[in-house]
Amino acid sequence: DKLSTPNLIPRVRGWINNYCPNTKLAITEYNWGNDDTTSGAVAQAEALAIFAREGVDMATRWVAPQPHTIAENAFSIFVNYDGAGSKVAGNSVAATSSNVDQVGAYAFDIPGQRTMILLVNKDVAFHDAGLSLASARNATWKRFAFTGTNNLAQVGGSNTLNGASFTVGALPPMSATLIVVSNPTAAYVPLVPARLLDTRSGAATIDDAGAGAGALGASGSLNLDVLGRGGVPSSGVSAVVLNVTVTAPSSSGFLTVWPAGGARPAASNLNFASAQTIANLVVAKIGANGQVSIFNSAGGTQVVADVLGYFTDTSQFTSVVPARMLDTRAGAATIDGLFAGGGALGAGASLDLAIAGRDGLPAPGSVGAAVLNVTAVTPTANGYATLWPTGAARPATSNLNFAAGDIIPNLVVSKLGSNGQVSLFNSQGSTQYVVDLAGWFPPVSELTSVGPARLLDTRTGRTTIDGNFAGIGALAAKTSIDLTILGRGGVPASGVGAVVLNVTATGTTAAGYVTAWPTGGVRPNASNINFVAAQTIPNLVIGKVGSAGKLSLFNSAGSTDLVVDVVGWLPAVQ
């Protein structure tokens, strides 16, 4: 009779769970004999993969492989597969083989960085392996292998993957092969915020350029040097992420940011009232001479700009000249005449806004997420707006908070839903809305959309996605909080370089600002949100993650409650 599968490790795991929970599992003093047998070396490689898959806490071989033997390759394929110190790491993830007695399959993943697949050919014949990943990706892959006659080495060059499936041909008999699928490097590079522009007298910037030039006049514009400053390289950059602030404007107006050298678009990035200090995040395409242009519509306005990061030429993000996609005001215009002049959105009402297939964007299904500047205009009551992918349930979060009579914007990164649309909800009163497109991501890109999910709410009695950082009380003046990001709200526990957060200040008791920066670093001379007493105001933050997977938030003055919702993440630079 055929012997049954021993099922040894799962059986022991069951005993632990039933009789002594939380006990660690070790497999000690195992050995297959001669270190120079091919079968023993291949079995050793597969055993290490099985230990990882089954969650073995410690395994010790008796004894270490003899130098320059085949068995030594079985360890090297995990701890130094390329000869340059690269290791199999991350999370063990599900992998199945159609014939496990011929070819065993095991997979490991570092989210946003690379996936590693170990293929163990236990047969005496060559086999082709057709691999299907859980999701499509634009990436490269390399192959490393050892056999009984060839030590561990790379086989062939780098290969391109565009999709979810590919074939690894001719796995040698009795061999172990590691396939390393790597995402594009440095698609988005987060920076510690750095000040590039401050027009106020006596102000300072990261390099003193763009400092103290004086207020920008009505219908005036300036060209801001971006490349080669504040950590942004002098080439290879397609777009930058800037936090732009106006302060002490002499009248109501708006700012527009666009690539230098091009025509100014009929769009706005930041709307303000006389004497107001207000900020908004801007994703700006780089124009002529490595610059972006900033236009002020009315009055004299001081302008501050902090750079938070940049997209490289290898990024799947496509930045565009700002294009108006929605304007509900009577007589208004959009880029293509659609969604124009439809009238204010009433209390509790929503609309489904088409994004894909407009302004030169690909058709629905080919756009994964959009970067949108959303402005609420003269609402009749205090309220908020929420954006989410059409077809999904509306989340219990907000993207934009406003008071009656406000004209207030916020940048939104939203996953697209059915038919390439996003839904826009208005909570209270009657509100006109304006939406401008700043760029888009394909369905497979460096941006992973999540949630939205609430990670922090300091207000009494409020909750978060996991109950942590909830109801802890307002931040006092000149205090900060280190907010855990990784491993929460759909953000992985590793491999994350930056997170996309909607940060809201509410219940403010004095005029002040909030600064976000990577935990463990020095707090920068920059701001993300500016507020006055008794105001509720949001701003999008694309923040670099610091030590222990945290982001620090500082409150400059008064007592301020903070609410943080995560909407996406970007992988760490490799």
Side-chain angles (χ1 to χ4, degrees), residues 127-214:
H127 289 286
D128 294 340
L131 302 182
S132 295
L133 305 180
S135 60
R137 61 183 73 182
N138 298 315
T140 59
W141 63 274
K142 296 179 180 180
R143 174 177 177 174
F144 305 86
F146 74 85
T147 68
T149 56
N150 294 303
N151 284 326
L152 177 65
Q154 182 172 339
V155 180
S158 181
N159 306 276
T160 300
L161 172 62
N162 293 299
S165 301
F166 62 104
T167 298
V168 180
L171 297 176
M174 296 298 292
S175 65
T177 298
L178 182 69
I179 306 300
V180 180
V181 182
S182 299
N183 289 344
T185 58
Y188 175 76
V189 180
L191 301 170
V192 175
R195 185 143 293 176
L196 300 186
L197 172 70
D198 194 333
T199 62
R200 296 173 293 183
S201 177
T205 63
I206 190 72
D207 53 9
D208 293 329

Side-chain angles (χ1 to χ4, degrees), residues 259-278:
R264 176 168 56 89
S268 63
N269 296 92
L270 179 57
N271 298 74
F272 50 84
S274 178
Q276 186 179 26
T277 297
I278 187 171

Side-chain angles (χ1 to χ4, degrees), residues 365-436:
S366 297
V367 180
V371 180
L372 306 168
N373 199 63
V374 181
T375 304
V377 180
T378 58
T380 61
N382 297 349
Y384 63 87
T386 299
L387 279 83
W388 75 101
T390 300
R394 175 166 57 89
T397 56
S398 62
N399 296 93
L400 178 60
N401 299 74
F402 49 78
D406 271 349
I407 300 178
I408 186 169
N410 196 22
L411 197 70
V412 175
V413 177
S414 178
K415 185 177 181 179
L416 300 193
S418 56
N419 299 318
Q421 299 178 332
V422 294
S423 294
L424 170 62
F425 170 80
N426 177 57
S427 71
Q428 301 290 335
S430 177
T431 307
Q432 304 281 2
Y433 283 99
V434 177
V435 175
D436 297 320

Side-chain angles (χ1 to χ4, degrees), residues 122-326:
K122 295 170 272 191
D123 202 3
V124 294
F126 284 89
H127 289 286
D128 294 340
L131 302 182
S132 295
L133 305 180
S135 60
R137 61 183 73 182
N138 298 315
T140 59
W141 63 274
K142 296 179 180 180
R143 174 177 177 174
F144 305 86
F146 74 85
T147 68
T149 56
N150 294 303
N151 284 326
L152 177 65
Q154 182 172 339
V155 180
S158 181
N159 306 276
T160 300
L161 172 62
N162 293 299
S165 301
F166 62 104
T167 298
V168 180
L171 297 176
M174 296 298 292
S175 65
T177 298
L178 182 69
I179 306 300
V180 180
V181 182
S182 299
N183 289 344
T185 58
Y188 175 76
V189 180
L191 301 170
V192 175
R195 185 143 293 176
L196 300 186
L197 172 70
D198 194 333
T199 62
R200 296 173 293 183
S201 177
T205 63
I206 190 72
D207 53 9
D208 293 329
L216 199 59
S219 299
S221 63
L222 61 82
N223 292 331
L224 176 63
D225 289 318
V226 174
L227 298 191
R229 304 180 62 208
V232 182
S234 57
S235 63
V237 177
S238 61
V240 289
V241 178
L242 303 171
N243 202 64
V244 180
T245 305
V246 298
T247 186
S250 61
S251 69
S252 299
F254 64 86
L255 289 187
T256 300
V257 183
W258 77 102
R264 176 168 56 89
S268 63
N269 296 92
L270 179 57
N271 298 74
F272 50 84
S274 178
Q276 186 179 26
T277 297
I278 187 171
N280 198 22
L281 199 69
V282 174
V283 177
K285 186 176 182 178
I286 298 295
N289 301 315
Q291 298 176 327
V292 297
S293 296
I294 302 176
F295 168 82
N296 173 46
S297 69
T301 304
Q302 303 285 358
V303 182
V304 180
D306 301 319
V307 64
L308 306 184
Y310 62 91
F311 290 94
T312 71
D313 289 341
T314 64
S315 170
Q316 288 95 23
F317 173 69
T318 300
S319 57
V320 301
V321 176
R324 187 139 292 176
M325 310 296 276
L326 168 72

Side-chain angles (χ1 to χ4, degrees), residues 423-513:
S423 294
L424 170 62
F425 170 80
N426 177 57
S427 71
Q428 301 290 335
S430 177
T431 307
Q432 304 281 2
Y433 283 99
V434 177
V435 175
D436 297 320
L437 175 72
W440 60 277
F441 293 89
V444 179
S445 73
E446 65 268 31
L447 172 72
T448 300
S449 299
V450 299
R454 187 143 291 176
L455 301 186
L456 169 70
D457 195 332
T458 63
R459 297 172 293 182
T460 302
R462 301 304 177 105
T463 189
T464 61
I465 189 71
D466 53 10
N468 296 319
F469 295 93
I472 58 178
L475 261 69
K478 300 188 183 306
T479 63
S480 62
I481 183 172
D482 297 336
L483 175 63
T484 299
I485 302 292
L486 300 193
R488 304 179 63 211
V491 181
S494 62
V496 178
V499 286
V500 186
L501 306 170
N502 200 61
V503 181
T504 303
T506 187
T508 57
T509 62
Y513 61 87

